[in-house]
């Protein structure tokens, strides 16, 4: 189960990197905004599912509590991403407040990447045998 958790953490990290790529593709696409960002949005919702699944698998695998908490934090931050988008959209395109609020979307994405990277790094450490378990020659 620990290997599965680490695999999900790696997949989540890969999805986050792909999100940045898809955001750039959408920003420079000539299609209407909603259509241009459709792949970015779809992967974002998939990331939410991956993060929830990783948190559950982490708990079942009895990973360290702090690691499970960080995986849960990724879930919360991904939900915040959706809320930022909706709030910015509700404020409207006519004011400067909407784009400023939407700028938080990019900053939050950096937080998501940092937390997910720490989850992946720490989960990989749990797979390494303890130094005291190694045979001394």
């Amino acid at each position: 189960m620990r290997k599965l958790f680490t695999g999900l953490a790696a997949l989540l990290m890969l999805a986050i990197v792909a999100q940045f790529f898809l955001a750039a593709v959408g920003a420079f696409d000539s299609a209407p905004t909603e259509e241009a960002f459709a792949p970015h949005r779809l992967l974002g919702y998939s990331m939410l599912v991956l993060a929830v699944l990783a948190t559950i698998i982490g708990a079942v695998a009895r990973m360290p509590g702090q690691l499970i908490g960080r995986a849960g934090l990724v879930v919360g931050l991904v939900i915040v991403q959706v809320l930022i988008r909706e709030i910015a959209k509700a404020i409207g395109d006519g004011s400067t407040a909407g784009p400023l609020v939407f700028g938080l979307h990019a900053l939050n994405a950096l937080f998501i990447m940092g937390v997910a990277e720490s989850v992946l790094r720490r989960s990989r450490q749990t797979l390494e045998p303890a130094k005291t378990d190694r045979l001394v020659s």
Side-chain angles (χ1 to χ4, degrees):
M1 286 295 256
R2 288 177 179 253
K3 286 183 181 182
L4 178 59
F5 178 82
T6 302
L8 286 171
L11 188 59
L12 183 60
M13 195 65 205
L14 182 63
I16 292 167
V17 171
Q19 274 295 79
F20 279 94
F21 174 79
L22 292 175
V25 168
F28 293 104
D29 197 328
S30 60
T33 304
E34 290 299 316
E35 185 180 318
F37 284 99
H40 176 78
R41 203 168 25 262
L42 178 64
L43 183 56
Y45 289 122
S46 300
M47 285 172 42
L48 179 61
V49 172
L50 270 175
V52 167
L53 193 57
T55 304
I56 293 169
I57 295 295
V60 171
R62 296 181 187 247
M63 298 297 278
Q66 190 178 49
L67 193 53
I68 297 167
R70 286 182 189 189
L73 179 58
V74 172
V75 173
L77 289 171
V78 172
I79 291 169
V80 168
Q81 281 295 81
V82 175
L83 292 174
I84 290 170
R85 178 183 180 269
E86 292 304 316
I87 290 169
K89 202 162 98 175
I91 291 173
D93 296 329
S95 72
T96 57
L100 288 175
V101 169
F102 198 69
L104 296 173
H105 190 79
L107 294 177
N108 191 50
L110 293 173
F111 288 130
I112 293 170
M113 180 178 263
V115 174
E117 187 278 330
S118 74
V119 169
L120 177 57
R121 186 173 17 88
R122 297 271 320 264
S123 69
R124 291 174 75 192
Q125 289 172 350
T126 66
L127 296 178
E128 296 174 0
K131 290 181 183 179
T132 56
D133 292 344
R134 295 181 185 159
L135 294 175
V136 179
S137 351

